[in-house]
Amino acid sequence: MIRSLFKRWKGQSPQDSLVSSTSEMPGERPPADSRARARALVMALQDEICAGLEQIDGSGRFQEESWERPEGGGGRSRVMREGRIFEQGGVNFSEVQGEELPPSILKQRPEAKGHPWFATGTSMVLHPRNPFVPTVHLNYRYFEAGPVWWFGGGADLTPFYPFLEDARHFHRTHQEACDSVDERLYQVFKPWCDEYFFLKHRQETRGVGGIFYDYQDGSGRLYRGQDPEGPAARKASEIGAVPLSWEQLFALAGANGRAFLPAYSPIIERRNGLSYGDRERQFQLYRRGRYVEFNLVWDRGTIFGLQTNGRTESILMSLPPLARWEYAYQPAPGSREALLTDLFTRPQDWFGDPSLEDRCRPHQAVN
């Protein structure tokens, strides 16, 4: 099944021939049917991912609810509960519009102020039952506000028990998707993901990352994050301008969205059969608490949804069904839980650092 998913993804990858950056004009206007095409793309990703996840789970099914937003637009939320693999998970589609963007967006794009806006996207969070299967998140979106437009999105992996090969596979698959549009993108989007999914109050990443990008508008500016001195900003400065057309950015969203199942499915197949006990379950619930903290305190998607009067149940479907907190918890020194905490919640060079294998091997956490 995994081979067929990967072949299907490969067959749908975007065009290999790219428009020369010298022909790109910053501020390019989107095509006349941009909104319809973006909507169709994210709806198709929702359909494809839901169908693939139901096939993988084997017994769980997504229940769909459609909703309307009084100020304009709406969406469809699909939630699976008590599946064979997924304790709970949701895959959302939304298409919303309004007269004034919320502060969380205007802070980054003040030139959009005063313009009617449109946004469409798909987002997903899956919480498997087995602690050896990681939680995973995906989001791809498109915005327009008057003359301003941009694409954003990404996917990241949050393991509870570490396996180096899982982190590498997830990153490798998304790197290949980025490379299908431009080989410089992953070099910025990987550290940007480490930076974005970071719990400042805990000084740790949410997991092993993946890719993250935002405000990609064809101007050639790859990085528009919060840390102008950080690794992503430095790499973007080193690379220089990478002007991408609307069509290329549209292709990037499609390539990465279709990369999700090949990136995540093999991890499920490798780990879901592993046996676990109460210790592993309790540690999973404890680490899920960190996921809740990030989504409620730092996540811009949650903030945007609430500020724009989105459907609360759909916005908060990213939260796990069960989680716990423990005062001043410290994992036992030398334990696998300590390896997760010390290594897999810190930004890593997953492909270029040979010491990772040496640190993971004593815990049987390489393969």
Side-chain angles (χ1 to χ4, degrees):
M1 181 183 72
I2 299 306
R3 250 187 243 107
S4 66
L5 285 172
F6 193 76
K7 286 180 180 177
R8 182 175 61 176
W9 167 65
K10 283 287 189 181
Q12 291 179 319
S13 58
Q15 60 186 15
D16 293 327
S17 57
L18 302 180
V19 180
S20 167
S21 63
T22 58
S23 67
E24 299 295 344
M25 295 295 293
E28 171 201 12
R29 297 291 297 175
D33 59 350
S34 59
R35 297 185 179 191
R37 290 177 62 192
R39 178 195 309 115
L41 171 65
V42 294
M43 290 183 77
L45 289 176
Q46 185 194 36
D47 289 340
E48 178 179 326
I49 290 170
C50 286
L53 292 173
E54 287 186 345
Q55 182 180 0
I56 293 165
D57 188 274
S59 64
R61 293 293 179 265
F62 285 98
Q63 302 300 312
E64 180 176 301
E65 288 186 277
S66 296
W67 54 274
E68 294 184 1
R69 179 173 169 271
E71 294 87 346
R76 59 186 190 187
S77 298
R78 294 176 179 170
V79 175
M80 180 189 294
R81 299 179 62 190
E82 300 299 330
R84 182 179 67 91
I85 293 171
F86 302 112
E87 189 170 10
Q88 185 168 295
V91 186
N92 287 341
F93 157 79
S94 64
E95 176 190 26
V96 294
Q97 59 241 358
E99 294 302 314
E100 182 71 32
L101 280 164
S104 61
I105 298 294
L106 292 175
K107 183 178 179 181
Q108 291 293 324
R109 299 303 298 263
E111 66 272 31
K113 185 174 178 59
H115 293 289
W117 58 273
F118 165 88
T120 189
T122 185
S123 62
M124 174 195 69
V125 176
L126 301 173
H127 294 289
R129 179 177 288 102
N130 189 317
F132 292 108
V133 182
T135 284
V136 70
H137 160 259
L138 167 151
N139 178 285
Y140 293 101
R141 55 196 178 274
Y142 175 69
F143 281 81
E144 283 186 7
V148 181
W149 61 269
W150 67 89
F151 287 89
D156 68 292
L157 193 71
T158 303
F160 305 105
Y161 281 86
F163 290 98
L164 182 58
E165 177 52 32
D166 292 353
R168 286 175 168 171
H169 174 77
F170 193 82
H171 276 268
R172 187 182 303 114
T173 307
H174 284 92
Q175 180 179 11
E176 290 174 356
C178 288
D179 287 354
S180 70
V181 174
D182 192 292
E183 293 184 355
R184 295 166 290 184
L185 301 181
Y186 177 81
Q187 300 175 55
V188 175
F189 296 167
K190 187 273 183 190
W192 196 350
C193 187
D194 293 333
E195 172 191 308
Y196 178 79
F197 292 105
F198 186 77
L199 287 78
K200 298 177 185 177
H201 61 289
R202 299 287 191 180
Q203 289 297 296
E204 64 184 34
T205 57
R206 189 167 76 173
V208 299
I211 61 166
F212 177 86
Y213 61 93
D214 211 353
Y215 306 115
Q216 298 300 302
D217 58 3
S219 67
R221 183 177 171 186
L222 283 185
Y223 176 76
R224 289 180 178 268
Q226 302 292 317
D227 186 359
E229 306 299 324
R234 291 198 301 270
K235 177 55 71 172
S237 177
E238 175 188 321
I239 291 172
V242 182
L244 298 173
S245 68
W246 191 97
E247 296 292 347
Q248 288 172 292
L249 291 167
F250 178 79
L252 178 67
N256 278 299
R258 289 187 294 268
F260 169 73
L261 288 172
Y264 189 52
S265 301
I267 298 172
I268 297 173
E269 292 196 348
R270 284 196 294 265
R271 309 304 171 201
N272 192 59
L274 299 179
S275 61
Y276 64 91
D278 186 63
R279 169 179 167 168
E280 291 80 14
R281 176 63 166 171
Q282 291 303 314
F283 186 67
Q284 176 198 45
L285 297 183
Y286 170 74
R287 292 302 307 179
R288 279 182 177 179
R290 293 289 207 268
Y291 209 90
V292 173
E293 290 177 21
F294 180 87
N295 281 26
L296 294 183
V297 177
W298 300 111
D299 186 66
R300 289 210 314 266
T302 302
I303 295 169
F304 173 81
L306 296 175
Q307 287 183 345
T308 55
N309 196 28
R311 182 174 184 262
T312 301
E313 288 298 319
S314 298
I315 296 165
L316 298 183
M317 67 88 196
S318 63
L319 302 182
L322 295 171
R324 75 179 188 92
W325 284 260
E326 181 177 331
Y327 179 75
Y329 168 82
Q330 292 292 326
S335 67
R336 197 156 187 189
E337 292 84 359
L339 179 67
L340 184 284
T341 305
D342 296 339
L343 185 67
F344 284 69
T345 64
R346 305 286 184 269
Q348 304 293 342
D349 179 358
W350 297 109
F351 302 123
D353 184 354
S355 72
L356 296 178
E357 294 194 10
D358 294 334
R359 295 181 66 181
C360 291
R361 191 171 291 109
H363 301 276
Q364 291 79 50
V366 175
N367 298 313

